[in-house]
Amino acid sequence: MNLNKITEISKFYLGPAKEQLTKKNVRSRGSYLNSLKNKKVVPNTFLLESYHAVSLTGNVYALFTQLIEEKQLKSAKFYWVTTSLDNEMIKKIKTKYSKYANIHFVKYESKQYFELLATCEFLINDTSFMPYFNKREEQTYVNTWHGTPLKTLGLDIKNAQLSDHKNIQRNFLHTDYMLMPNQFTADKLIKGHDLDGILNSKVFVTGNSRVDLTLTTDKEEIIELLDLPRDKKLVLYAPTWKKTLQDTTELDLLNLMNEVEKIQLALGEKYKVLLKTHYFIYDYFVEHGFENKVVPNWVDTNELLACIDKLITDYSSIFFDFLPTKRPVYFYIPDKDIYKEERGFYLDLNGLPGALCTTIEELCQHLMIEDTIYNSSYSANYNNYLSEFCSYDDGQSRKRAVDIFLHDNISDKKQLNYLSDKKKLVFYCGGFYNNGITMSAINISKNIDYDKYEVIFMDTDKMRAEKSNNIRKVDPRVHFIYKFGAVNRDYAATVRQNLLYRQGMDSDLFNKEKTREHLNYEFKRVTGKLPIDVLIDFGGYNKMFTALFAMANVPKKAIFLHNVMLEEYNKIIGNKYKHKWNLKVIFSLYHNFDKIVSVSKSANEQNQKDLQHYVPGYKEKMIFVNNTIDGDSILKSIHIDDPLNRGKDIYSSEDNVARKVFYENTDLASGIITLKGFMRPNKNHVNFVNVARLSPEKNHLVLIDAFAKLVKENSNCHLYILGNGPLKNDIKRKISESGLNKHVHMLGHMENPSMFVDICDCFILPSQYEGQGLVLLEAMIIGKPVIGTDVPGIQSVLENSRGTLVENTVQGIYQGMTDYLNGKVVKYDFDYKLYNEDALNSFYVNVCGDAVK
């Protein structure tokens, strides 16, 4: 063994060890994983985490006050998680419950925390656990959300990125119980996080447990605790915070305190105005010496509300908590129009249960109105809000909640169901690049029967313009979930995973069962309790997703082969193998799938020949299912004179030539419109068109040689090439060297190629091999004569005289184009609806395991 090999092997094994030693996060997640695998869940243990452990308040605290008094929990242990063991609330809890020896406080993300997160029987949270969290079957995860939303959540937020909601969504997928203040909150929260139909959690409307504290706390107790004046009425100003911590300045704090001073001045000596800031920026007040200007962060807001006479807020859910007191609420929202535009509201602000003020002067004027008169003015709105949002806030919410998740007493409780009885299909679609796999995924999303199936697409959370654009083309009924965050792994798991990704499942260097176990933990971290019936690796090129799906404990699993895979394995671009190292691993995992699905009959025949030794029982397992096609959209999209730029041309200042618009985008914020256009092919020419990625297997260089031969005899012919890819410069050079710059036109990637194909004469696809050659079907839908090489993938599409099959040579391709000129290649009347019906039935039967009616 040479020195280079020894060095390579040393780095391979020492790298993960160094990572464990030097990176605390990796080490902590490894420790958490070991606890998940090796330590038992301890009965009657409770992990309590509120607002990411920044506070010990809210719904979690309220539930704790009920649980600690339960007779059956006298021997239970309660572990409060906190970012600071100096939190004053710890002292209060210890004092109030001094007779209890079963209450403990744990530093957030300490070694003890990770062990407790893995071993406590009950996990109670009012927001979310971090991405490393992975609930065990023996654990019960209770999420008691922190309030009724006025402002939008999740995907409902205007301008939200597609995956911004990912960790809240992932947490909900792990929950056993979701305790909601009202049905409105449940609907907005679950639908806004794309979980309606797939949430396998018991959802109950219990009211807000924390409101019990507002209704039952002794006012004198809070006044004494915070040394508040007894001879004054108390006003609480509790605005939300819209900036990030990094963007917050000292001036922002001074402005807030200045507003408090103006309110205090307007109300006079009979009142005391208190400022309650968001927990997010409280420390910033302390750092700047303004600690005495704000209510301490550790104080439970709902206990504080028990002694508040007037509440001033904006979008905060605090006002919903205050409504059951039936005391006056004031809304100070100076930026309501901006906020409505940038984020959005669920409710009409004009119907709020109090005055809506946009200036501090207007607020002060309303504050000075006598309470009975003020309340009378807004009584209708107030009562409407109480009825719709607070009907369960009756002082019994804690008891209802504990009855549900501890005692399983649900007979008289309001339960909501967000899990449909449809089959759940989870797809990985290949990353949503501009390619045929993406178009096939989009097409199936638009054709599948949503009365029978819940369709879930899984992908990474990393977004780029190309990916986001393609995801937005997917049918809106498809759910998206995301794999994100680092994998929980210790040294041994890291080495096994790296060996798998390097050598494939055939390697003898690692334990297969432990690798399967490790990947199952990761799969469960991503999917939680999502009840999956069929798992489909629709991409087929990503070894990480293929391994994740291959090892998952799911009843049915399929992987799609969108090409002749051995040819893809051997494909070289720029003197490098494009897919070899990924496909080496992926081939070794095929035997873990129930079906290996090629997308055409002829591609399947070739894949069976090439790959049968990877698939025991290959004749039954290796099948084909034709891709579906969105024929309606294709026919609609060819009408270039209708929607874009109102059918008008645009002109270039370079050549003053008219161009038809094929792309239009408007930035509403700036008002800038981006238009893209192409010059129409000359109707007096014979115009051939090709739509394909500029990649070796698409055979463009041979096409150009054949076209050069055609142009010598027929100078009236032109060829248009639509697409991008790694061979772009090679193809350009070939065109130039062949003297075809005036006859061959490269238009790049076009968002809507059908529009251009429609105004050409003949479609040609000269590939060396294909999975199916979907673009041929699209051209036939448009009504174009088609020519394709006689190779796997294309053979199935053009059989039965649907088009013209030609030999995969320069002469064969040239002859096909010549035949078109001589009237021997004619269009085929393609019934795409019948084709789709057959393709979908094949998918339902062979992939989903369903019978066709």
Side-chain angles (χ1 to χ4, degrees):
M1 187 180 295
N2 62 41
L3 181 60
N4 288 338
K5 194 66 175 176
I6 292 172
T7 302
E8 181 184 357
I9 293 173
S10 297
K11 286 183 178 179
F12 182 86
Y13 286 100
L14 292 176
K18 181 180 179 182
E19 185 182 46
Q20 290 286 330
L21 290 170
T22 60
K23 296 184 178 179
K24 182 182 177 182
N25 288 341
V26 175
R27 190 165 61 251
S28 295
R29 290 192 298 268
S31 174
Y32 176 50
L33 178 65
N34 278 321
S35 293
L36 286 172
K37 293 193 296 186
N38 301 317
K39 295 187 177 181
K40 293 182 179 181
V41 172
V42 181
N44 279 347
T45 52
F46 293 78
L47 186 75
L48 309 166
E49 186 173 318
S50 178
Y51 298 104
H52 301 297
V54 172
S55 78
L56 290 78
T57 61
N59 280 329
V60 179
Y61 172 64
L63 285 174
F64 162 75
T65 63
Q66 179 73 29
L67 289 166
I68 197 71
E69 302 294 345
E70 292 288 315
K71 292 181 180 179
Q72 74 178 70
L73 296 180
K74 293 302 180 185
S75 61
K77 291 184 178 180
F78 297 92
Y79 297 96
W80 267 108
V81 185
T82 177
T83 55
S84 172
L85 292 172
D86 295 325
N87 191 317
E88 289 290 326
M89 190 66 173
I90 295 175
K91 296 178 184 178
K92 179 188 172 184
I93 292 173
K94 285 182 175 180
T95 300
K96 185 172 182 178
Y97 299 101
S98 57
K99 64 180 180 180
Y100 297 90
N102 58 346
I103 304 170
H104 310 276
F105 298 90
V106 180
K107 185 71 186 296
Y108 183 57
E109 294 194 328
S110 63
K111 185 176 181 180
Q112 184 186 12
Y113 169 79
F114 283 107
E115 182 176 334
L116 291 168
L117 186 62
T119 59
C120 281
E121 181 183 7
F122 290 91
L123 309 171
I124 303 179
N125 200 316
D126 58 7
T127 46
S128 62
F129 293 110
M130 288 292 106
Y132 45 72
F133 169 65
N134 196 348
K135 191 192 83 72
R136 301 164 75 171
E137 289 185 11
E138 305 93 326
Q139 293 180 303
T140 298
Y141 177 14
V142 180
N143 191 292
T144 173
W145 191 251
H146 53 272
T148 298
L150 174 61
K151 53 185 183 286
T152 53
L153 299 169
L155 287 171
D156 295 335
I157 297 173
K158 295 180 180 180
N159 303 320
Q161 296 299 308
L162 291 172
S163 63
D164 283 355
H165 64 294
K166 58 186 181 289
N167 194 46
I168 299 293
Q169 179 196 60
R170 191 191 68 88
N171 266 258
F172 291 166
L173 284 171
H174 280 270
T175 55
D176 295 290
Y177 295 92
M178 292 183 67
L179 307 178
M180 296 286 104
N182 45 62
Q183 184 166 343
F184 171 84
T185 300
D187 286 344
K188 298 305 181 185
L189 199 59
I190 290 163
K191 293 174 183 179
H193 287 85
D194 200 11
L195 293 171
D196 190 20
I198 64 172
L199 180 67
N200 188 20
S201 179
K202 297 175 182 177
V203 182
F204 288 89
V205 176
T206 61
N208 263 318
S209 295
R210 65 193 190 191
V211 176
D212 289 5
L213 304 179
T214 301
L215 298 176
T216 61
T217 296
D218 181 0
K219 177 179 178 179
E220 287 300 313
E221 178 186 329
I222 301 303
I223 288 175
E224 183 176 346
L225 177 70
L226 299 179
D227 193 24
L228 297 174
R230 287 182 167 80
D231 59 343
K232 297 178 186 289
K233 289 190 174 183
L234 299 175
V235 178
L236 183 65
Y237 179 29
T240 53
W241 197 247
K242 306 160 192 82
K243 290 187 175 184
T244 65
L245 189 59
Q246 293 76 17
D247 292 335
T248 300
T249 65
E250 185 175 358
L251 181 60
D252 292 323
L253 309 189
L254 292 172
N255 287 337
L256 260 183
M257 291 183 288
N258 183 50
E259 289 175 341
V260 172
E261 289 178 6
K262 288 181 178 180
I263 296 168
Q264 183 67 71
L265 184 63
L267 287 169
E269 292 299 318
K270 293 182 179 180
Y271 290 86
K272 172 65 177 177
V273 181
L274 308 175
L275 174 62
K276 182 74 172 75
T277 65
H278 196 281
Y279 73 89
F280 189 61
I281 62 160
Y282 175 77
D283 288 343
Y284 204 67
F285 272 83
V286 176
E287 289 170 12
H288 285 75
F290 302 135
E291 185 174 4
N292 64 334
K293 299 291 185 180
V294 292
V295 175
N297 195 44
W298 60 267
V299 172
D300 183 85
T301 301
N302 287 84
E303 290 185 330
L304 175 64
L305 289 178
C307 61
I308 296 300
D309 297 288
K310 296 176 186 279
L311 174 68
I312 306 166
T313 189
D314 44 20
Y315 323 110
S316 174
S317 63
I318 190 175
F319 82 86
F320 289 98
D321 293 16
F322 192 64
L323 291 179
T325 68
K326 299 183 180 179
R327 300 168 197 155
V329 183
Y330 306 80
F331 297 90
Y332 174 45
I333 314 180
D335 59 343
K336 71 179 181 69
D337 293 333
I338 296 172
Y339 205 75
K340 181 179 180 180
E341 184 66 32
E342 292 181 350
R343 176 156 181 170
F345 301 104
Y346 283 130
L347 299 168
D348 183 359
L349 297 187
N350 293 321
L352 288 173
L356 174 57
C357 309
T358 57
T359 66
I360 194 71
E361 291 76 18
E362 186 182 4
L363 171 65
C364 291
Q365 288 174 6
H366 280 91
L367 285 166
M368 295 173 69
I369 298 172
E370 202 275 323
D371 283 359
T372 55
I373 298 173
Y374 178 84
N375 288 342
S376 176
S377 300
Y378 297 98
S379 61
N381 288 359
Y382 210 112
N383 290 331
N384 287 340
Y385 265 68
L386 280 172
S387 174
E388 184 171 358
F389 305 113
C390 305
S391 60
Y392 285 83
D393 291 329
D394 55 2
Q396 299 299 312
S397 296
R398 289 174 293 179
K399 185 178 185 307
R400 271 192 294 270
V402 171
D403 273 353
I404 289 166
F405 71 81
L406 187 65
H407 303 303
D408 197 30
N409 181 9
I410 63 173
S411 59
D412 59 342
K413 311 301 189 297
K414 183 175 182 179
Q415 184 171 3
L416 308 174
N417 180 37
Y418 295 92
L419 182 67
S420 75
D421 58 1
K422 303 173 189 177
K423 267 195 172 180
K424 314 298 187 294
L425 312 181
V426 173
F427 293 72
Y428 168 67
C429 296
F432 291 95
Y433 295 92
N434 290 330
N435 58 30
I437 295 174
T438 294
M439 285 310 304
S440 297
I442 293 169
N443 288 343
I444 199 169
S445 80
K446 293 183 178 180
N447 285 292
I448 202 165
D449 186 352
Y450 288 96
D451 290 332
K452 292 172 61 177
Y453 302 102
E454 294 283 359
V455 180
I456 303 109
F457 284 0
M458 182 193 296
D459 210 293
T460 65
D461 65 317
K462 304 300 180 187
M463 290 293 162
R464 55 191 191 284
E466 175 185 359
K467 180 176 177 179
S468 298
N469 186 42
N470 284 322
I471 285 177
R472 288 188 171 93
K473 296 176 185 176
V474 172
D475 190 285
R477 289 170 290 185
V478 171
H479 305 275
F480 274 83
I481 62 174
Y482 297 95
K483 183 184 184 308
F484 67 97
V487 177
N488 296 327
R489 50 191 171 80
D490 56 13
Y491 173 78
T494 302
V495 170
R496 284 193 295 267
Q497 177 180 286
N498 291 348
L499 282 168
L500 169 64
Y501 292 160
R502 186 184 181 97
Q503 296 193 344
M505 203 63 178
D506 298 331
S507 173
D508 294 326
L509 296 178
F510 61 93
N511 184 304
K512 308 296 188 299
E513 283 308 308
K514 287 187 179 294
T515 300
R516 182 184 297 275
E517 179 189 46
H518 168 66
L519 289 173
N520 259 293
Y521 272 108
E522 176 61 8
F523 186 78
K524 191 168 180 294
R525 182 184 74 86
V526 177
T527 60
K529 294 171 56 188
L530 179 64
I532 303 168
D533 295 292
V534 186
L535 199 55
I536 303 165
D537 182 356
F538 196 74
Y541 282 86
N542 185 307
K543 62 186 177 186
M544 183 266 289
F545 271 103
T546 299
L548 194 68
F549 281 24
M551 301 301 174
N553 292 324
V554 172
K556 292 182 184 298
K557 294 181 285 189
I559 184 168
F560 273 67
L561 315 185
H562 287 273
N563 228 313
V564 177
M565 300 309 290
L566 190 59
E567 295 284 359
E568 290 288 274
Y569 178 87
N570 290 317
K571 182 162 73 177
I572 296 174
I573 298 177
N575 296 320
K576 293 183 178 180
Y577 286 103
K578 173 69 175 174
H579 299 298
K580 185 173 185 176
W581 307 114
N582 270 349
L583 289 179
K584 173 186 176 181
V585 175
I586 290 168
F587 289 170
S588 75
L589 292 162
Y590 279 167
H591 69 277
N592 290 280
F593 290 89
D594 301 292
K595 297 294 181 181
I596 295 90
V597 188
S598 295
V599 291
S600 70
K601 180 181 177 182
S602 52
N604 183 51
E605 290 169 352
Q606 190 63 49
N607 282 327
Q608 282 188 338
K609 290 178 185 178
D610 296 339
L611 305 173
Q612 58 184 266
H613 56 287
Y614 290 105
V615 187
Y618 75 93
K619 288 185 178 180
E620 292 74 33
K621 282 192 169 186
M622 296 187 75
I623 61 170
F624 79 91
V625 173
N626 288 326
N627 282 312
T628 60
I629 193 162
D630 188 9
D632 292 342
S633 293
I634 290 169
L635 290 175
K636 184 179 179 181
S637 68
I638 64 177
H639 298 293
I640 63 176
D641 292 328
D642 295 343
L644 301 178
N645 201 35
R646 298 185 179 178
K648 296 179 181 179
D649 292 339
I650 53 175
Y651 289 81
S652 167
S653 58
E654 295 291 327
D655 54 22
N656 202 35
V657 175
R659 287 170 171 80
K660 278 295 174 187
V661 176
F662 70 88
Y663 172 86
E664 178 180 300
N665 181 63
T666 303
D667 186 325
L668 295 176
S670 65
I672 294 174
I673 298 176
T674 302
L675 301 176
K676 294 181 182 179
F678 57 72
M679 290 186 289
R680 283 177 179 258
N682 191 319
K683 292 182 179 179
N684 296 319
H685 296 159
V686 179
N687 300 302
F688 293 89
V689 61
N690 165 268
V691 181
R693 180 167 168 75
L694 307 184
S695 185
E697 74 278 9
K698 302 302 182 181
N699 220 13
H700 288 97
L701 299 180
V702 173
L703 171 62
I704 291 165
D705 282 336
F707 194 73
K709 189 173 181 180
L710 184 72
V711 168
K712 284 182 180 180
E713 301 169 359
N714 302 275
S715 60
N716 198 37
C717 293
H718 286 251
L719 172 64
Y720 293 86
I721 298 174
L722 280 61
N724 277 327
L727 294 192
K728 179 178 179 180
N729 291 333
D730 292 344
I731 296 169
K732 278 187 173 181
R733 187 162 49 250
K734 180 75 170 180
I735 292 169
S736 182
E737 291 171 352
S738 302
L740 293 173
N741 286 328
K742 293 184 179 180
H743 289 269
V744 181
H745 315 279
M746 296 181 68
L747 276 66
H749 173 74
M750 193 174 289
E751 195 71 27
N752 175 17
S754 299
M755 183 186 291
F756 193 88
V757 171
D758 183 54
I759 53 179
C760 292
D761 300 300
C762 180
F763 188 92
I764 185 164
L765 188 66
S767 304
Q768 296 175 3
Y769 58 89
E770 283 283 348
Q772 185 180 23
L774 204 59
V775 288
L776 290 166
L777 297 175
E778 294 174 353
M780 287 191 288
I781 288 172
I782 295 168
K784 296 299 159 185
V786 295
I787 300 168
T789 43
D790 191 5
V791 297
I794 295 178
Q795 291 165 345
S796 303
V797 175
L798 299 187
E799 63 185 359
N800 301 323
S801 302
R802 284 177 173 168
T804 298
L805 283 170
V806 300
E807 186 179 306
N808 183 23
T809 62
V810 171
Q811 180 62 29
I813 296 168
Y814 157 77
Q815 188 60 52
M817 291 186 287
T818 301
D819 287 347
Y820 172 75
L821 295 178
N822 294 329
K824 296 180 181 179
V825 181
V826 296
K827 71 177 183 178
Y828 173 80
D829 189 12
F830 178 57
D831 187 342
Y832 67 87
K833 292 185 178 180
L834 180 60
Y835 165 87
N836 264 352
E837 185 178 338
D838 290 340
L840 284 168
N841 284 339
S842 180
F843 175 79
Y844 298 149
V845 171
N846 293 298
V847 178
C848 303
D850 292 327
V852 177
K853 293 181 181 179

